[in-house]
Amino acid sequence: MSALQVSWPPGTECVAKYNFQGSTELDLSFCKGDLLTIIGVTKDPNWYKAKNSVGREGMIPANYVQKREGVKSGGKLSLMPWFHGKITREQAERLLYPPETGLFLVRESTNYPGDYTLCVSCDGKVEHYRIIYHSGRLSIDEEEYFDNLMQLVEHYTKDADGLCTRLIKPKLMEGTVAAQDEFSRSGWAMNMKDLKLKHTIGKGEFGDVMVGEYRGTKVAVKCIKHDATAQAFLAEASVMTQMRHTNLVQLLGVIVEERGSLFIVTEYMAKGSLVDYLRSRGRTVLGGECLLKFSLDVCEAMEYLEANNFVHRDLAARNVLVSDDNIAKVSDFGLTKEASSTQDTAKLPVKWTSPEALREKKFSTKSDVWSYGVLLWEIYSFGRVPYPRIPLKEVVPRVEKGYKMEAPDGCPVVVYDLMKQCWTLDPAGRPSFRLLREKLQHIRAKDLQL
């Protein structure tokens, strides 16, 4: 690292590129892949003071570590950057020009709809191999079968196995970036061999959430096995690389497997989801101070998203997790997008979603504020399902006529007033998360004086 390089401020996260064995007791030894946080700069630009994941501190050489950066190309990240979709045989041949043996791409078959074609440059010409789709599996020679295109491509990069050449270099579709390369470049790629998966703690339609261990640290791992679904979750992972807040579940890294699986590794939240936590403890265990703290924790995370122009879109107590030391953290960035975009509303949670988001697909920080009001109601009702005793199909019509849920038993009037402000039908009339946070802090300060 040259003296001209800009020094990284304290709090910068970095990942070790090499092993480092310290030569004095002031040094902090580490292994390749370890996560480190800069805690101080020194007069010597070649050294930083840093701490590791267990809090040990010491000096580290700057050229042994790589700064972690947010992955910015969310929409262009691809698990299959060599897949060009519907292009003709002639277009494929033009893309593979000038000829370079082993240069390849995959396209949809023009002659056999539903099948694919592997196009490979070899000895100055392009060979086209039909990939047959049979009983849910893919094959070129009907001897070797694969679950998806990624597995097929991985196989033929290792061995020509009857093709004119081994697949050597992918022809990337214009505008796409190989996901593995991007996560590696920005310091977020983890190594599968360092991850031990233990047991399942949650099942979803997209895959399992498991408890694991990464280099001795307990972690949670979202395992997405199907290649198309994994592709969709790349956006979630790339959003998480840009987000840093005490009250957001922290991404630790991403593993992109060649065989089409994606593993999103996050900090482990020992006490599970907020909704389960509230239901299992109840009002005999959790006092008003605790409920107010959870409300503030979530509000501070949402204020951070608001300031960074991100919309969560699925804020609810089920998507807030509780740490071992009782800190509530917002999770599940699956739907998070840059502000003011639209999406398919078919799968939206009706009871948590604002009227304008349901009706016109208009998502904004203000629609998150509506959801936050519902989440406050969940907190103060100890995890009850919102709109009790109202059939689901009646919820929207009644809400659009101005209906608001009643205050949960024992909920302070000042907190219920905040809920009602969040449920203002006109989005412009709803408070900002910053204002909500200020009001909650004011309520908390008054409670502490009593």
Side-chain angles (χ1 to χ4, degrees):
M1 173 176 171
S2 71
L4 294 172
Q5 186 170 336
V6 178
S7 66
W8 302 334
T12 300
E13 282 191 349
C14 49
V15 62
K17 295 194 290 184
Y18 316 103
N19 295 338
F20 171 65
Q21 187 60 49
S23 55
T24 77
E25 58 186 33
L26 295 175
D27 293 338
L28 176 64
S29 298
F30 53 79
C31 297
K32 181 181 177 181
D34 282 358
L35 302 180
L36 303 158
T37 306
I38 304 299
I39 54 175
V41 294
T42 66
K43 289 194 174 95
D44 184 345
N46 297 308
W47 290 84
Y48 283 113
K49 189 173 185 189
K51 68 175 179 183
N52 63 16
S53 56
V54 293
R56 197 169 291 124
E57 298 181 1
M59 304 303 292
I60 64 165
N63 58 344
Y64 275 56
V65 293
Q66 169 189 5
K67 181 183 174 184
R68 281 191 145 182
E69 297 170 5
V71 173
K72 291 288 191 279
S73 49
K76 295 174 182 176
L77 286 183
S78 177
L79 290 170
M80 305 189 296
W82 34 257
F83 181 64
H84 289 248
K86 281 187 177 169
I87 59 168
T88 64
R89 183 186 180 102
E90 292 71 26
Q91 285 171 316
E93 290 180 355
R94 278 200 296 276
L95 286 167
L96 296 174
Y97 188 87
E100 182 183 338
T101 294
L103 186 66
F104 73 94
L105 62 82
V106 178
R107 60 182 172 87
E108 289 180 34
S109 173
T110 40
N111 295 339
Y112 302 95
D115 288 350
Y116 301 101
T117 305
L118 171 63
C119 311
V120 194
S121 181
C122 185
D123 297 335
K125 62 179 191 291
V126 176
E127 300 288 350
H128 299 263
Y129 295 93
R130 180 183 168 194
I131 301 170
I132 300 158
Y133 191 75
H134 182 69
S135 303
R137 303 195 79 202
L138 302 168
S139 179
I140 286 177
D141 55 14
E142 297 191 56
E143 286 177 18
E144 198 88 44
Y145 282 87
F146 306 93
D147 292 333
N148 56 47
L149 286 172
M150 292 168 73
Q151 284 183 19
L152 181 143
V153 165
E154 184 206 6
H155 174 79
Y156 288 107
T157 53
K158 293 189 166 79
D159 185 351
D161 197 14
L163 302 187
C164 61
T165 174
R166 182 172 71 79
L167 305 181
I168 298 168
K169 183 179 169 186
K171 175 66 182 178
L172 303 190
M173 186 175 175
E174 195 176 343
T176 62
V177 182
Q180 176 66 38
D181 295 349
E182 185 59 20
F183 285 119
S184 296
R185 185 200 62 74
S186 51
W188 291 94
M190 282 181 158
N191 200 320
M192 193 70 202
K193 71 175 192 296
D194 292 327
L195 179 68
K196 291 189 185 83
L197 293 173
K198 297 200 165 173
H199 56 271
T200 304
I201 50 171
K203 282 188 175 293
E205 58 179 307
F206 302 118
D208 297 343
V209 178
M210 298 184 76
V211 173
E213 202 175 89
Y214 188 79
R215 300 185 165 210
T217 302
K218 202 171 190 182
V219 295
V221 188
K222 195 178 274 189
C223 312
I224 300 117
K225 291 283 176 15
H226 191 273
D227 53 342
T229 312
Q231 177 66 47
F233 272 86
L234 286 176
E236 170 173 0
S238 63
V239 164
M240 289 181 81
T241 66
Q242 299 167 51
M243 300 292 164
R244 268 306 173 297
H245 192 277
T246 319
N247 299 111
L248 290 176
V249 172
Q250 181 58 52
L251 177 73
L252 299 177
V254 177
I255 298 167
V256 180
E257 273 207 322
E258 289 172 328
R259 297 177 69 79
S261 297
L262 178 69
F263 299 88
I264 298 176
V265 184
T266 63
E267 62 179 314
Y268 175 67
M269 302 291 282
K271 294 186 176 174
S273 79
L274 179 58
V275 73
D276 292 339
Y277 185 84
L278 292 164
R279 287 171 183 170
S280 60
R281 271 68 169 187
R283 65 183 75 243
T284 51
V285 178
L286 304 175
E289 191 185 326
C290 183
L291 300 183
L292 195 56
K293 185 189 168 296
F294 285 150
S295 305
L296 254 169
D297 283 349
V298 176
C299 194
E300 287 182 15
M302 295 309 297
E303 182 185 3
Y304 172 83
L305 291 183
E306 174 180 74
N308 284 281
N309 203 31
F310 274 91
V311 181
H312 189 284
R313 300 167 164 235
D314 196 11
L315 185 61
R318 64 182 171 275
N319 287 333
V320 175
L321 302 177
V322 183
S323 72
D324 210 13
D325 48 358
N326 279 9
I327 296 171
K329 304 193 183 197
V330 174
S331 78
D332 230 331
F333 296 82
L335 297 172
T336 308
K337 294 278 194 311
E338 286 193 29
S340 75
S341 56
T342 61
Q343 76 169 66
D344 174 31
T345 51
K347 291 184 178 177
L348 290 174
V350 169
K351 291 183 174 184
W352 284 264
T353 307
S354 69
E356 76 278 3
L358 285 170
R359 191 177 55 246
E360 302 158 46
K361 303 185 183 183
K362 276 191 180 166
F363 289 85
S364 64
T365 293
K366 296 300 188 189
S367 59
D368 276 351
V369 167
W370 178 285
S371 306
Y372 179 73
V374 180
L375 184 141
L376 275 181
W377 190 92
E378 288 183 277
I379 289 173
Y380 280 86
S381 65
F382 296 89
R384 286 187 75 190
V385 176
Y387 301 97
R389 296 181 295 278
I390 298 178
L392 187 62
K393 64 177 186 298
E394 288 179 28
V395 170
V396 178
R398 287 182 67 168
V399 164
E400 289 188 325
K401 286 185 184 129
Y403 173 79
K404 292 178 172 67
M405 284 187 282
E406 290 171 16
D409 290 347
C411 174
V413 174
V414 280
V415 175
Y416 181 54
D417 282 344
L418 288 188
M419 292 180 203
K420 289 192 290 187
Q421 288 171 40
C422 293
W423 300 330
T424 305
L425 283 175
D426 177 6
R430 295 172 204 155
S432 66
F433 281 111
R434 183 180 175 183
L435 184 62
L436 286 165
R437 192 253 311 151
E438 287 170 355
K439 288 186 174 182
L440 286 167
Q441 283 179 331
H442 184 65
I443 294 166
R444 193 181 193 186
K446 285 182 85 170
D447 283 358
L448 291 171
Q449 287 167 8
L450 295 174

